[in-house]
Amino acid sequence: MPGAISPALAQAAGAAPALLDVSLRINGTEHRLSLDPRTTLLDALREHLHLTGSKKGCGLGQCGACTVLMDGMRVKACLSLAALAQGREIKTIEGLAQGDELHPLQASFIERDAFQCGYCTSGQIMAGVACISEGHAGSPQDIREWMSGNLCRCGAYDHIVAAIQDAAAVSSSTQGG
Amino acid sequence: MHPFVLERPCDLSAVLALGAQAGRNDAPVEYIAGGTDMVQLLQEHVRRPDRLVSLAGVLDDGIEIGPQGLRLGAAATMAEVAAHQGVVEQFPLISQALLNSASPQVRNQATMGGNLLQRTRCPYFRDVGYQACNKRAPGSGCAALDGENRWHAVLGTSDDCIAVHPSDLAVALVALDATVELRGTGGDRSVPLSELHRLPRDTPHLETVLEPGEVITAITVPANAAGLRSHYLKLRDRASFEFAAVSAAVAIETDGARIRQARVALGGVGTKPWRLPNVEQALADKNLEPGELRSAAALAAEGAQGRGHNDFKIELMQRAIVRAVEIAGARA
């Protein structure tokens, strides 16, 4: 289980270090937090700001369930220390829809039934949004290569690729090219 | 994670004064840059520093191409370098190696310096549940020698450590004669990338020649490595987002179907990025013909030692060289 350590290791870990004042800009809103320096961006989002859309799968950068955008680029929130994300513009799945209107990729995930259990979905969508904006969604092969940082244990890959293709087509037609 | 004090100095001299040490496990102070490897090491209790010094914002992240060649600031990310137009056009081997590394998310975070200094993926090093790892705990033994060693090195090994250096970037760079620029409290110096990493010998816990506090500030690649016909061939268990079982970085100059000069380096098989001067010599003046390439590539196996599960790499690395030279030779 990610983050779980043996009692012996926990004891050896000793006292918690002094807290740091950290200011995080999430989905356009500034949040002031007092954090243990060990806090990852993912834990800050989930445990301190209760933005639980970003998921903890492996906690080691292998599954992509925690993918968020940092200054517009996709990153793994579990591999980022929260204190080092200060000053960056962070976007999570909670910041994607415009009010009640879903982002086109959220809508196409529903349309294409691109999930089963849903645990990897917010990471898939955040990575997919970046994949499209980077121009790496031109073909199913491209999408598979550029989405390889996001695992789906249910194996919904065919539908995920289709959803990203659909949303990429919408995005290129709205941009006139 | 073990508790640590997080330092965020605003300039390089303040960073250096804190005396962090990369590439060994007994140092109480560590650097963190992109963090994609360091956070894993902290989470897994492989590294337990008391103090973590952030390099954010204090290192050059520029990418420049000039008459001297290519200069990559240590803080440039893998994604930035891979997509840089000049790198793609003049040093495609570097771009290719990077795009075959990690995942898009990790490439957005991980830096050039950190990539070269990332720690081995040897599962016995990464899992503190195993007692025996000379790299993690000097003198404790090597669980890989008689353990699951399918992923391990066949070149540059010792009886104390057979861990593979995991970087693809370093393999491409060592083939192109890259140099790393270092800065420490004692000043600046340059070291050929081929000499940055140490062989494990009987001190596998000492991975680099860096002095305490010293940081990589830039990587340079000479101009004579530009514009070569090249190919980075990566063979792995998954099609993407996987470390190399074997990789081959090849850059050649040709005269028709004849090879004038070749540079060859291997990944996935060496305890450090592995350049092959004997294979390069044998390839010079050879024709791009499978039989001739094969006999030159066979020299890669000199001194190779399998440990059971990884025996297959000795044959596979020779085939990888042949294939990579053929693909490079077929490029316009």
Side-chain angles (χ1 to χ4, degrees), chain B residues 110-128:
Chain B
T111 63
M112 290 294 99
N115 183 284
L116 298 182
L117 296 177
Q118 66 181 302
R119 311 300 295 276
T120 182
R121 263 62 191 179
C122 173
Y124 301 107
F125 171 76
R126 295 264 166 178
D127 186 344
V128 297

Side-chain angles (χ1 to χ4, degrees), chain A residues 9-169:
Chain A
L9 277 173
Q11 202 168 25
L19 300 184
L20 292 175
D21 288 329
V22 178
S23 179
L24 292 178
R25 191 165 175 80
I26 317 285
N27 301 325
T29 305
E30 200 79 25
H31 299 270
R32 300 194 66 80
L33 297 170
S34 195
L35 298 175
D36 183 311
R38 295 173 288 183
T39 312
T40 63
L41 175 58
L42 178 61
D43 286 341
L45 292 171
R46 291 181 54 83
E47 310 295 335
H48 295 263
L49 297 168
H50 309 297
L51 293 169
T52 53
S54 307
K55 297 291 188 271
K56 185 183 276 191
C58 66
L60 293 169
Q62 295 164 3
C63 74
C66 66
T67 302
V68 299
L69 304 185
M70 201 183 273
D71 295 336
M73 289 183 304
R74 47 176 154 165
V75 300
K76 295 193 172 173
C78 76
L79 294 183
S80 309
L81 292 180
L84 299 179
Q86 185 159 281
R88 316 289 292 270
E89 185 74 45
I90 292 146
K91 187 173 240 186
T92 70
I93 190 79
E94 289 89 349
L96 214 50
Q98 305 272 351
D100 287 340
E101 194 188 336
L102 293 178
H103 183 281
L105 188 56
Q106 290 175 308
S108 64
F109 261 65
I110 293 169
E111 183 63 30
R112 287 289 189 168
D113 193 17
F115 41 77
Q116 288 180 38
C117 82
Y119 199 78
C120 73
T121 307
S122 46
Q124 297 279 2
I125 290 177
M126 296 312 286
V129 166
C131 181
I132 293 167
S133 68
E134 293 161 7
H136 292 133
S139 68
Q141 293 88 330
D142 251 10
I143 293 169
R144 284 176 187 277
E145 170 61 31
W146 287 87
M147 288 295 292
S148 69
N150 292 77
L151 306 186
C152 170
R153 295 294 297 271
C154 301
Y157 294 110
D158 286 348
H159 294 198
I160 293 170
V161 170
I164 293 173
Q165 264 192 298
D166 286 357

Side-chain angles (χ1 to χ4, degrees), chain B residues 62-148:
Chain B
I63 303 167
E64 293 159 33
I65 298 182
Q68 304 295 311
L70 173 66
R71 188 173 191 281
L72 304 170
T77 65
M78 295 171 76
E80 288 163 351
V81 175
H84 186 273
Q85 200 57 34
V87 174
V88 171
E89 285 167 9
Q90 296 185 49
F91 302 93
L93 192 64
I94 295 172
S95 179
Q96 229 185 343
L98 286 168
L99 291 178
N100 277 285
S101 305
S103 66
Q105 287 97 321
V106 168
R107 296 198 295 265
N108 280 338
Q109 294 169 271
T111 63
M112 290 294 99
N115 183 284
L116 298 182
L117 296 177
Q118 66 181 302
R119 311 300 295 276
T120 182
R121 263 62 191 179
C122 173
Y124 301 107
F125 171 76
R126 295 264 166 178
D127 186 344
V128 297
Y130 288 96
Q131 297 268 312
C133 174
N134 288 321
K135 204 180 255 309
R136 181 159 40 76
S140 62
C142 174
L145 289 176
D146 298 312
E148 292 284 336

